[in-house]
Amino acid sequence: MVEGIHSPAQVSDWLGLGRILFLVIHLVGLAFLSYIVYRRLIPLLRGERDIRFDRPLTRVARVFQYWLAQWKHPRYRSAGILHILIFAGFITLAIRSFALVIFGLSDGFAFPGRVGHLYDMATDWAATVVFVCMIVAIIRRLYWKPARYAVPERYGKDHTADAVFLLGLIAMLMLCDIVFAASNAAAHAQQGGAVEPLAALSLPWLLNRALAATPVPALLNVRLGICIVHELTFYFLLCYRPFGIQFHVITSLFNVYFAKLDRGTVKPVRWGEANLDELESFGVKRFEDFTWKHMLDFYSCADCGRCSDNCPANAAGRPLSPRFLSIKARDYSFQHYPVFGRTSARQEALIGSIYSEDEIWSCTTCGACEEECPLLIEYIDKIVDLRRGQVDDGKVPQSIQRPLKALETRGNPYGKLEKKRADWTLDKEFRLSCKVRILDDKRSADTLYFVDSITSYDDRIQAIGRATARILDHIGENFGIMGALEKDSGHDVRRFGEEMLFVELSSHNVQAIKACGASRIVTADPHAYNALKNDYKDVPPVEHIAQVIAREMDDGNISFNPVRNANAVYTYHDPCYLGRHNKLYDDPRRVLDAIPGLRRVEMDRCRDRSFCCGGGGLMLFYEPKEDQRMGVKRVQMAADAGANVIVTACPFCMVNMEDAIKVAGMEGKMTAIDLAELVDEQIVRRVPTDTRDAMAEETVNV
Amino acid sequence: MEILVCVKRVPDTSENEITLNRAGNDIERDDLVYSVNEWDNYAVEEALQIVERLGGNVTVATVGGEDDEEILRREMAMGAKGSALISDEAFEGSDSAGIATLLKAFVQKNRFDLILTGVQAEDGAAQVGGMLAAMLDYPFASLVSSIEVLNEKKLRVTREIEGGNKELNETDLPCVLSIQTGINEPRYVGMRGIRQVASIVIPTLGASELGIDKNSVGKIAAKVQRTDYFVPVLGKGAEMLGGSREKVIDKVIELVKAKGGLK
Amino acid sequence: MTARIFAYVAHVNGVPDDAASELLAGAKRIDAAATPTAIVTGTGEELDAACRALQDSYAEIWKISNESLAYPNAELVRKALVAVLPPGSIVLLSHSHFGVDLGPGLSVKLGAASVSDVVDIQGIEGNILKVVRQEFGGQLSAHVRCDISTGAVINLRPGAFKPLQGASPAGGSVVDKSSAVGALSAGRRYLETVVAEAADVDISKEPVLVSIGRGMQEQENVAIAQELADAMGAVLSCSRPVVDAKWLPKSRQVGSSGQTVRPKVYMACGISGSFQHLAGIKGNPFMIAINKNPKAPIFQVADIGIVDDVLEFLPELTTKIRETVK
C-alpha cells in the first residue's frame, strides 16, 4: 500500500490495542469456524462408507468443469448468469479477504507491483458486481418470486426471509469492501500520496469521488471502523455458513469432487461388502445409514429448487419434491447433531418421521433432478437406499407385492408362464416374414436380442418385438432370443429396492447369456439396455436398436421409403434410460430425419430435459397419489409443439403415451409409435435371399 | 401371547392356469407355482401384528410333506418364530376332519392362547377351523375381519356378515378364529428374508410324535373324498358375441335398451 | 333311506331366508321321496311367524325357542341342535356366513361327516352321498363322495339349488322342541351388529348396475366404468377385490359379504364370477359379462358374454351409447 498512511494495524490511538484486537477477531473467528465444522463432520464420521477417492484426475477435471466453470448454471439463464457473476466475484474477493486478514496483522503486506495493481482493480469490480447482484437477487426474491423457490405448505415456512437475510449480509460485506477501498483511497489522495487508481466506474471509484472532500481524520476513522465491521461481518458470515443453505459455499468444492462418476447404475447395498447375506440390515432406515457423501449432499443443497422444478413426479402432483428430500434431511441432521448442544441422534426411522412412504415410492428414477443440480447432488441412490430399507422391513405397497412375487416365481411381473415368453414370435403373419431362433447352450448366435418381459408378454408391445426382429433380420444379423431362458432384466426390481431378487434375476441371466454364446446384445428396451450396460457385469457389449439402425443407415444397409403419412408431424420423446442416463439423443433423431418427407419438431423439454412418461417396470403397477398422470402432461407437450405423432424408443413410454392419449381424450388427434415400428414400416425391403432362408431355423417352443 | 396359525400350500390361482390333466383325475401340476394360501397369509400378518403389540410368539404349522416346508419358511421370513410340519405317510388323503384331528393333536402337545386359520383355501371348504375348535372345545368365530385383545382372557372379534354389516362378538381365550382377506395389509417378504431362513430346521411331527391313532386320520378315516376333477358342461351359459368390436357394441346397446337398461 | 333330513332355516324379523326353498330342493335331490324337517331357532313372536311361513313348504317344523337364541349365535345354536337331532341325521345348511360358522363344528359334535359349498347333489349309493363341488375359484368342478353312515352336515351353495316349482302346500305341523334344550351358554357371546354406514348410493335398490372387478387393473380405470354408468344412467358397483384394494367403498360391493342386489340389468366388467360375488345377485337380471379370459366362470351365468379387454371395450361402448342417446 502507500507509505505514510498507517495501516489499521499501526493505529493504536483508537483502541490502543489495534493489532491485538484484530488478532483476537481472527483467532476467535477461526476457532469458532473450526469447532463448527468439526461438529458438522460428526454425523459424516458416523455415516456409512462411500468409495469416492478413486480416479482423482477425472474428479479434478470435473471440479474445473462444474465448480469453477459453473457448467450447469446457465440452464436457468438469469439465475445462472447472476450466480456466475457472484461466484466469480467471490473467488476474486476471497483472495482479497484473506489479504485483509493478513493486512490487519502485519503492516506492509501487499501484493507486489503490477499484479497487485491489477488485482486491486479486479477486486473493486468484483465488489461492485457482487453488490449489484445482491440487490438484484433480493429484488428477485421479493418481487419477481420465481416459482421454484416457493415452499409448499407441508414443508414448513417460506425461505424468503432467510434468503434475503443472507443476501443482505453479503451485500453488507461488499459494502464494507467498497467503503474501505474508497475511504482508503480518498485518505491517501488528500495526504498527497501516490494513489492507486480505483477501477473506473466501480462503486469504490464512485464513492471515492463522493468522499473527496471529507476530512482525513474522518476518513481514517471510517476506514478503521469499516475494517472492523468488515472483519466481524466476514467472520460472522463465515461461521454462519454451516447453518443453512449458505453452507454450499464451503462444501460445493468437495461435493463436486466426490460426486458420482458412474452414470446409470445404482450404488451397491454397502460399498466394499460383496457378501450381502452377512449384512444385518439393508438400506437406509435411520439417518446414520446414509453414506458420508450423501450427508455431504444434504449440507450442500443450495435450495435453488431446480431439481423439483424439473421433477416430473412433482409436476404431476405426487408427494415428491427432491429439493425437500435434501432440505428435510439437512434440517434433521442440524437438529440431531447440533453445533451447540448435545447430539441427540435418536436412531428413529426416517420414513414415518421426515419422509413419507408415498414420497419415496413416487420416484420414477428418471434422473431429471440429478441432471439439473449445479452441485451434482445425487438423488436416485438415496431413494433406492430408502426403498431397500422399506423392503427389508416388509413395507412394500400392496400393489407392487404381486408383481414382485410373480418376478420371483415366474421371472416376469405379470405372472405369466415362462414357457410362453417366446410366444410373441408365433404370430402367423410375422412367422412368414421372419424366423426367430431360440438360443440355448446348444444353439448359439452372434447377437442376442434381449427382449425383456413387457415386450415378451404385453399384447400391444409384442408388436415392437416383432418390428425389432424384422429389422435385425433385414440387416442380415445372425441373432436369436433366449425365450423361456430369459428372465426379467431386474432393472426396476433393483431400483425399487429388492436387491436380492435383482441379484437372482441377473445372475440367472448372466449365465443364460453366456450359454447362448452371443458376442453382442441388442435390445429395444432402454431399461434392459441400462441394466445390461451399467448394472450387469460380465456380459457382452449391448446396444439399443436405435444405435444399430443409425449405424446400418450410415453404412447404407438401411434406406427408407418416403414417409407414409406425409401430413403427420412427428416429435421424438427421449426415454429417460436411453437419453438422459445414457446420453443417446442423436441416433434416434438421425434415423427420423433420414426418412424422406418426415416432418419433425422438438418439444421444449427434450434431450436431457425430457419429461418422464410416468415410469417403467414396476412403476406401471404402483398406484401413486397424483393430480394428473405424467404421461398426460407429456402428450400435451407434444401437442403444444405442434406434433400429432409421438415417436418413442421405449416400450414403457409407449404404454404410458397410449394410455395418456386415451385419458386425455386425444384419440384421433395424437398417436404414438415406436421407433422400431416406424422404421419397420418405412424400410426399403430387399427380396429375401436363399442364404438367409438357409440360416433361419424353425422356431421351437421351449 | 402364543399364537398358532395353521397354513396351507396351494397353487397360486392368479399366476397359474388351472387345467385338467390328461388322466382327468387331477389338475395339471407340472407348471404350477405354489404359495401360501392367501387367507392364511392374512392370518399370519394379523398374528404378527398382535405379538408385535403385546409380546409373544407366532408359530406356523401345516399338514403335508417336504414340499410344504417352503411356505413355513416363507411365513418365518415374515416373522413367525416357531414352525411345525405335520407329516406322516399315514396322514395322506385326510379330509378336513382328518386335518383338524391332526392339528388338534399338535395343539394339545403345546400351549397356544389363540389359533388362527384362513377362512378357506383353494378348495373353498372352509371347514378346518370350525372343526378344530369343536374338537378342542374352544369357542370359534369365522369370517373375522377385526381382532381386539381385551385382556389375556378375552377378545372382541368382528365378523363380516351380509350387507356389509359387522357382527361384534366377545370370545374367551383360548379360541379359534378363521380370518377373512382384507383384515390388514400383509407385509412384503423379500428374497433376503427367505434366504435368511433357508437353513432353519423345521421340526417334523409324525404319528408317534403326536400320539395319533393312524386309523383316525388319512385316507382310511376320510369320510369325504374327491373322486375326480372335471370341467363342467357349460349347459346354457352365456351367448358369446363374436365379430368386430363395433358390431358387438351395437348388439349390446340393442339388447340393453330392450331390457330397459338405458335411461 | 332311513336317515332323517333336516334343514336349518335362518330368519330375520320372522321372515325365513330365501335359502329355505333351496334347502328343500337340495333335500329332494338327496332323496326325491324325502320329507325334510325344518328346524328354526329363536324366540317370541318372530320365531312363531317364521314357523308359520314355513308351513307351506315343509311337512314338519321343529321350533326351538330359547331366550339366548334371540340372535343366532352359531355356538349356541349348535348346542341346541345337538340336543334335539337324532343320531345319523342329515342336516342341510345354507353356505352363508352363518352356515360357515355353524356347519363344521356341528358335524364334529354330531360325529357326522361334513361337506360344504355343494353346488349339486347326485344322489345316494348305499351309505355314500354323491355331490358336486367347485375348486380354484370356480375354475374346476369335482365329484365328491361323502360317507353318511353316521350322518352328515351339508352346506349348500346359496343360489345353486333352484327352488322347486309347483309343489303343493305341505301343510306343515310345528313341533315345539324347546324343552329338550336347557340353558345355553358358550365361550362366544354376541354383542351387537354394526350396520354398514348409509352410503351415498344404495346399490341394492338400483335397477341398472355397472359392476367392476379386478380386471379393471388399476384404480385410475374405475373412471372408465363410471363414465359408462353415467352414460347408461346406471350406478357403479363392484366385487370384493375392488373393495379390498380400496378403489371403491364397501357400500358398492355386491356379494355374500357385501350387498344383495336385484337389478334388471347387470354389466359385469372384468369380473371373474366367483360364487361369493354371484351370491349377491338375485332376481335373475339380464347379465352382460365382459372379460378377457374366455374361461371365466362368469360366462356360465351371464346371458351375454364378450371376450375382450374391458379397458378398451368400455370407452367405445360409452361413446356409442352417448351418440345413440343424443
Side-chain angles (χ1 to χ4, degrees):
Chain A
M1 299 304 283
V2 179
E3 297 166 15
I5 297 295
H6 305 298
S7 68
Q10 287 176 316
V11 174
S12 53
D13 51 349
W14 200 61
L15 289 170
L17 297 157
R19 184 181 307 202
I20 297 176
L21 173 69
F22 280 106
L23 194 62
V24 163
I25 294 179
H26 298 323
L27 285 178
V28 168
L30 289 171
F32 242 147
L33 180 68
S34 312
Y35 178 69
I36 294 170
V37 167
Y38 157 68
R39 290 299 299 239
R40 285 288 181 240
L41 279 177
I42 290 177
L44 271 68
L45 296 172
R46 293 195 192 181
E48 278 296 327
R49 192 185 325 165
D50 207 323
I51 309 296
R52 304 274 183 158
F53 295 90
D54 55 332
R55 293 171 268 179
L57 292 176
T58 315
R59 295 184 180 277
V60 168
R62 284 157 64 90
V63 166
F64 274 96
Q65 181 183 5
Y66 294 106
W67 186 79
L68 198 57
Q70 303 267 290
W71 194 255
K72 298 221 184 170
H73 276 276
R75 291 167 75 100
Y76 278 76
R77 191 63 53 81
S78 36
I81 291 175
L82 215 53
H83 189 274
I84 290 174
L85 290 172
I86 295 170
F87 179 78
F90 257 55
I91 297 287
T92 312
L93 288 165
I95 309 171
R96 153 85 139 208
S97 291
F98 287 111
L100 266 183
V101 165
I102 301 170
F103 183 55
L105 285 171
S106 88
D107 333 328
F109 171 80
F111 280 120
R114 193 114 183 93
V115 171
H117 277 138
L118 283 175
Y119 178 70
D120 281 341
M121 289 181 70
T123 57
D124 290 335
W125 272 115
T128 306
V129 165
V130 174
F131 183 77
V132 170
C133 285
M134 287 301 125
I135 304 300
V136 172
I138 290 174
I139 293 174
R140 269 182 98 236
R141 279 280 178 166
L142 292 176
Y143 297 112
W144 297 343
K145 294 203 203 228
R148 66 182 182 279
Y149 297 150
V151 177
E153 247 186 79
R154 67 170 174 275
Y155 294 121
K157 63 176 179 61
D158 191 66
H159 297 171
T160 307
D162 293 325
V164 170
F165 174 66
L166 184 65
L167 293 166
L169 214 52
I170 298 171
M172 183 154 117
L173 193 63
M174 295 302 107
L175 207 54
C176 289
D177 250 353
I178 291 163
V179 171
F180 179 86
S183 59
N184 190 42
H188 275 92
Q190 288 196 26
Q191 300 259 325
V195 180
E196 269 174 31
L198 295 166
L201 293 179
S202 67
L203 280 175
W205 184 86
L206 291 169
L207 188 57
N208 177 47
R209 318 273 277 195
L211 293 174
T214 318
V216 171
L219 284 176
L220 289 178
N221 283 337
V222 165
R223 190 185 72 163
L224 177 62
I226 214 73
C227 199
I228 296 172
V229 173
H230 177 278
E231 294 306 282
L232 293 173
T233 310
F234 175 80
Y235 275 105
F236 177 77
L237 191 53
L238 194 59
C239 293
Y240 181 56
R241 291 223 172 277
F243 287 89
I245 65 104
Q246 59 276 16
F247 204 178
H248 83 269
V249 173
I250 299 180
T251 64
S252 56
L253 175 62
F254 304 100
N255 214 48
V256 171
Y257 181 82
F258 290 121
K260 181 170 173 174
L261 297 175
D262 299 317
R263 294 187 75 93
T265 190
V266 164
K267 71 177 268 291
V269 175
R270 190 168 296 173
W271 286 102
E273 185 63 68
N275 188 354
L276 294 178
D277 288 322
E278 299 285 309
L279 298 174
E280 345 74 56
S281 171
F282 268 35
V284 168
K285 298 177 188 174
R286 319 153 308 157
F287 183 78
E288 293 74 18
D289 295 329
F290 278 120
T291 71
W292 61 264
K293 173 58 171 70
H294 288 169
M295 292 182 187
L296 187 61
D297 276 344
F298 297 140
Y299 285 167
S300 305
C301 175
D303 203 29
C304 71
R306 294 179 183 203
C307 52
S308 294
D309 207 32
N310 284 278
C311 173
N314 193 249
R318 293 191 190 182
L320 172 65
S321 172
R323 166 184 172 210
F324 285 99
L325 284 180
S326 294
I327 297 294
K328 286 192 286 186
R330 183 206 69 192
D331 287 343
Y332 181 94
S333 82
F334 281 5
Q335 191 194 351
H336 292 283
Y337 292 89
V339 168
F340 306 111
R342 245 176 340 146
T343 300
S344 69
R346 269 181 297 142
Q347 314 256 311
E348 63 182 315
L350 290 172
I351 295 179
S353 58
I354 62 171
Y355 296 141
S356 73
E357 290 190 8
D358 290 328
E359 201 172 351
I360 302 309
W361 295 108
S362 290
C363 174
T364 65
T365 69
C366 77
C369 50
E370 296 186 352
E371 193 68 28
E372 242 14 86
C373 182
L375 292 143
L376 305 190
I377 291 174
E378 295 144 27
Y379 283 103
I380 296 179
D381 277 352
K382 297 192 181 82
I383 289 191
V384 171
D385 264 346
L386 285 160
R387 288 176 176 177
R388 283 170 175 159
Q390 288 295 90
V391 169
D392 205 36
D393 287 342
K395 297 183 188 148
V396 175
Q398 296 293 314
S399 55
I400 311 182
Q401 288 196 26
R402 201 167 273 272
L404 279 170
K405 174 103 197 305
L407 280 159
E408 186 197 322
T409 51
R410 291 260 183 234
N412 69 78
Y414 313 105
K416 304 218 174 146
L417 296 175
E418 300 92 322
K419 66 184 182 193
K420 297 200 169 175
R421 201 171 176 106
D423 280 6
W424 62 272
T425 60
L426 299 177
D427 177 89
K428 277 207 206 113
E429 252 188 73
F430 173 73
R431 292 190 70 159
L432 296 173
S433 62
C434 178
K435 305 270 192 291
V436 176
R437 227 184 309 165
I438 309 285
L439 307 176
D440 55 33
D441 47 3
K442 298 191 194 52
R443 253 175 313 212
S444 62
D446 293 337
T447 300
L448 168 66
Y449 170 26
F450 192 95
V451 187
D452 218 349
S453 304
I454 190 171
T455 310
S456 303
Y457 290 108
D458 183 295
D459 291 332
R460 160 44 186 118
I461 303 298
Q462 288 175 348
I464 297 181
R466 290 188 274 267
T468 307
R470 272 197 293 264
I471 293 171
L472 290 171
D473 190 53
H474 173 86
I475 60 177
E477 194 68 51
N478 177 338
F479 80 99
I481 64 174
M482 291 198 292
L485 283 178
E486 181 190 278
K487 289 201 181 193
D488 194 277
S489 67
H491 182 264
D492 299 289
V493 168
R494 184 172 212 204
R495 282 149 185 78
F496 268 72
E498 237 293 24
E499 187 74 11
M500 294 309 292
L501 180 57
F502 167 74
V503 168
E504 283 231 350
L505 292 167
S506 56
S507 21
H508 168 96
N509 279 332
V510 167
Q511 277 198 350
I513 292 172
K514 280 208 175 76
C516 76
S519 55
R520 69 184 199 121
I521 308 176
V522 172
T523 182
D525 182 328
H527 286 233
Y529 172 73
N530 190 62
L532 291 165
K533 180 157 171 281
N534 297 318
D535 284 335
Y536 280 47
K537 309 268 178 296
D538 307 322
V539 286
V542 60
E543 281 189 309
H544 186 269
I545 193 70
Q547 297 172 283
V548 174
I549 298 169
R551 191 180 49 248
E552 295 292 325
M553 198 178 79
D554 292 340
D555 289 347
N557 295 329
I558 290 183
S559 55
F560 297 116
N561 290 317
V563 67
R564 274 192 203 176
N565 191 350
N567 291 324
V569 179
Y570 293 75
T571 188
Y572 177 68
H573 161 77
D574 291 278
C576 300
Y577 276 102
L578 193 64
R580 198 178 294 117
H581 286 285
N582 288 291
K583 302 263 167 265
L584 275 169
Y585 305 118
D586 295 316
D587 280 349
R589 289 176 165 80
R590 292 197 303 115
V591 169
L592 288 176
D593 292 340
I595 299 176
L598 188 145
R599 285 196 289 162
R600 185 171 74 82
V601 295
E602 281 289 7
M603 291 184 267
D604 280 340
R605 295 197 57 162
C606 63
R607 294 174 172 266
D608 63 359
R609 274 239 169 113
S610 182
F611 189 89
C612 180
C613 66
L618 288 167
M619 189 49 84
L620 290 182
F621 297 88
Y622 179 60
E623 288 161 8
K625 297 194 185 78
E626 56 188 3
D627 296 336
Q628 191 183 35
R629 295 200 208 191
M630 284 153 64
V632 167
K633 286 192 167 303
R634 192 51 167 166
V635 302
Q636 274 164 0
M637 289 180 200
D640 290 343
N644 47 31
V645 181
I646 300 178
V647 182
T648 181
C650 170
F652 302 110
C653 289
M654 176 56 67
V655 167
N656 281 317
M657 292 295 147
E658 290 191 329
D659 213 49
I661 289 171
K662 280 188 209 147
V663 168
M666 288 170 78
E667 276 152 306
K669 292 183 237 156
M670 180 73 70
T671 51
I673 190 168
D674 185 83
L675 185 71
E677 290 176 321
L678 182 59
V679 164
D680 184 44
E681 270 179 16
Q682 299 286 153
I683 272 186
V684 175
R685 292 218 131 83
R686 299 189 283 253
V687 173
T689 64
D690 288 329
T691 30
R692 262 190 306 154
D693 277 350
M695 257 170 47
E697 286 176 40
E698 202 56 48
T699 308
V700 174
N701 233 344
V702 175
Chain B
M1 228 187 172
E2 294 300 310
I3 308 184
L4 169 68
V5 186
C6 305
V7 298
K8 185 179 180 187
R9 178 173 173 264
V10 302
D12 198 323
T13 38
S14 61
E15 281 156 35
N16 290 311
E17 291 172 7
I18 307 289
T19 50
L20 218 44
N21 70 0
R22 250 166 242 175
N25 54 10
D26 194 5
I27 61 175
E28 182 57 65
R29 295 197 183 253
D30 273 349
D31 279 322
L32 287 184
V33 159
Y34 286 80
S35 63
V36 72
N37 177 33
E38 203 184 339
W39 283 265
D40 298 345
N41 198 47
Y42 277 100
V44 173
E45 174 64 31
E46 193 63 21
L48 288 172
Q49 288 188 15
I50 292 175
V51 306
E52 272 163 16
R53 277 198 307 270
L54 304 171
N57 290 300
V58 176
T59 301
V60 285
T62 191
V63 176
E66 228 179 78
D67 288 339
D68 300 289
E69 274 197 10
E70 76 178 6
I71 58 148
L72 293 177
R73 282 189 207 286
R74 202 180 188 97
E75 302 308 287
M76 286 200 288
M78 214 160 141
K81 287 280 177 329
S83 61
L85 175 64
I86 298 170
S87 177
D88 194 309
E89 247 186 88
F91 300 164
E92 284 167 35
S94 295
D95 60 2
S96 298
I99 306 270
T101 307
L102 293 167
L103 289 169
K104 169 189 174 216
F106 176 69
V107 170
Q108 287 177 327
K109 289 252 178 284
N110 292 274
R111 224 210 88 231
F112 293 112
D113 301 304
L114 177 60
I115 301 169
L116 303 181
T117 70
V119 163
Q120 63 184 62
E122 87 291 13
D123 59 5
Q127 294 171 307
V128 169
M131 289 178 165
L132 176 61
M135 289 179 186
L136 290 167
D137 272 315
Y138 287 178
F140 173 68
S142 60
L143 303 166
V144 171
S145 61
S146 159
I147 302 175
E148 193 192 325
V149 179
L150 297 174
N151 54 49
E152 72 262 17
K153 289 270 187 295
K154 282 212 255 277
L155 300 178
R156 186 176 303 148
V157 156
T158 304
R159 293 184 62 234
E160 263 188 5
I161 58 179
E162 82 285 301
N165 297 339
K166 300 183 203 213
E167 182 193 276
L168 263 58
N169 295 275
E170 193 184 81
T171 59
D172 296 333
L173 288 174
C175 71
V176 179
L177 304 175
S178 81
I179 304 295
Q180 183 60 294
T181 56
I183 186 175
N184 53 42
E185 286 192 3
R187 66 199 63 187
Y188 176 69
V189 179
M191 286 265 38
R192 187 168 116 86
I194 293 173
R195 284 165 75 108
Q196 283 176 331
V197 300
S199 43
I200 296 185
V201 175
I202 295 179
T204 305
L205 300 158
S208 46
E209 285 90 352
L210 290 175
I212 274 271
D213 169 11
K214 292 190 186 182
N215 290 320
S216 65
V217 292
K219 203 161 156 79
I220 299 176
K223 289 203 172 122
V224 178
Q225 294 186 24
R226 186 186 62 240
T227 50
D228 64 14
Y229 282 110
F230 65 98
V231 178
V233 172
L234 285 174
K236 195 164 59 90
E239 180 194 329
M240 305 302 290
L241 297 184
S244 73
R245 187 179 288 158
E246 245 191 270
K247 282 218 181 77
V248 168
I249 287 180
D250 285 338
K251 186 97 177 113
V252 164
I253 295 182
E254 189 194 309
L255 289 166
V256 170
K257 247 204 202 145
K259 298 287 174 182
L262 281 188
K263 284 218 183 88
Chain C
M1 192 192 80
T2 49
R4 271 185 89 155
I5 303 182
F6 292 87
Y8 179 88
V9 178
H11 60 97
V12 177
N13 293 333
V15 178
D17 207 49
D18 282 347
S21 45
E22 294 172 19
L23 297 176
L24 188 57
K28 296 291 186 186
R29 298 277 299 168
I30 296 175
D31 179 358
T35 46
T37 304
I39 301 194
V40 214
T41 62
T43 189
E45 179 47 40
E46 286 182 6
L47 178 60
D48 290 332
C51 291
R52 279 195 298 275
L54 289 170
Q55 285 178 305
D56 272 348
S57 30
Y58 283 83
E60 197 168 308
I61 297 133
W62 286 11
K63 169 176 112 167
I64 303 177
S65 177
N66 191 308
E67 279 280 301
S68 5
L69 297 177
Y71 181 87
N73 175 337
E75 306 273 286
L76 297 173
V77 170
R78 181 178 81 213
K79 293 193 176 179
L81 293 180
V82 168
V84 307
L85 287 172
S89 303
I90 297 179
V91 184
L92 300 179
L93 304 175
S94 174
H95 195 61
S96 63
H97 69 90
F98 184 75
V100 166
D101 223 16
L102 175 66
L106 178 63
S107 77
V108 167
K109 291 302 182 190
L110 290 175
S114 164
V115 206
S116 64
D117 196 26
V118 168
V119 300
D120 193 14
I121 296 175
Q122 294 180 317
I124 294 198
E125 227 175 63
N127 268 333
I128 305 292
L129 178 65
K130 301 207 298 202
V131 304
V132 174
R133 297 189 66 253
Q134 287 182 349
E135 295 193 15
F136 304 108
Q139 292 186 55
L140 278 184
S141 297
H143 290 121
V144 177
R145 296 159 56 89
C146 178
D147 179 350
I148 58 169
S149 49
T150 57
V153 175
I154 321 249
N155 285 30
L156 304 184
R157 175 180 289 190
F161 289 81
K162 300 278 176 278
L164 304 167
Q165 304 291 2
S168 42
S173 51
V174 178
V175 178
D176 194 335
K177 291 280 185 181
S178 310
S179 51
V181 175
L184 294 171
S185 71
R188 175 177 134 198
R189 296 164 288 284
Y190 168 72
L191 296 176
E192 61 172 320
T193 299
V194 175
V195 175
E197 282 161 21
D200 50 336
V201 167
D202 184 357
I203 57 172
S204 65
K205 306 254 185 319
E206 291 290 328
V208 186
L209 289 172
V210 171
S211 206
I212 59 172
R214 239 204 268 254
M216 296 306 284
Q217 286 185 26
E218 279 187 338
Q219 182 161 21
E220 283 147 339
N221 297 328
V222 173
I224 297 177
Q226 182 65 60
E227 297 219 350
L228 175 62
D230 291 341
M232 288 176 71
V235 160
L236 202 57
S237 62
C238 67
S239 64
R240 195 200 167 92
V242 169
V243 172
D244 278 348
K246 303 197 182 8
W247 298 348
L248 287 177
K250 185 95 179 152
S251 57
R252 300 285 179 142
Q253 184 185 329
V254 174
S256 48
S257 63
Q259 306 286 337
T260 302
V261 298
R262 286 170 200 282
K264 279 188 309 198
V265 175
Y266 192 80
M267 309 284 291
C269 312
I271 290 179
S272 62
S274 73
F275 96 85
Q276 287 101 335
H277 177 71
L278 299 174
I281 308 174
K282 303 269 189 230
N284 203 21
F286 183 70
M287 190 187 305
I288 301 185
I290 307 128
N291 196 304
K292 224 171 171 165
N293 177 8
K295 293 199 232 161
I298 191 90
F299 290 129
Q300 291 170 31
V301 292
D303 295 293
I304 299 288
I306 300 163
V307 178
D308 202 343
D309 183 351
V310 264
L311 300 180
E312 306 209 344
F313 188 84
L314 293 193
E316 287 193 35
L317 178 60
T318 306
T319 314
K320 209 58 201 295
I321 290 178
R322 289 207 177 112
E323 286 170 19
T324 317
V325 167
K326 265 190 219 138

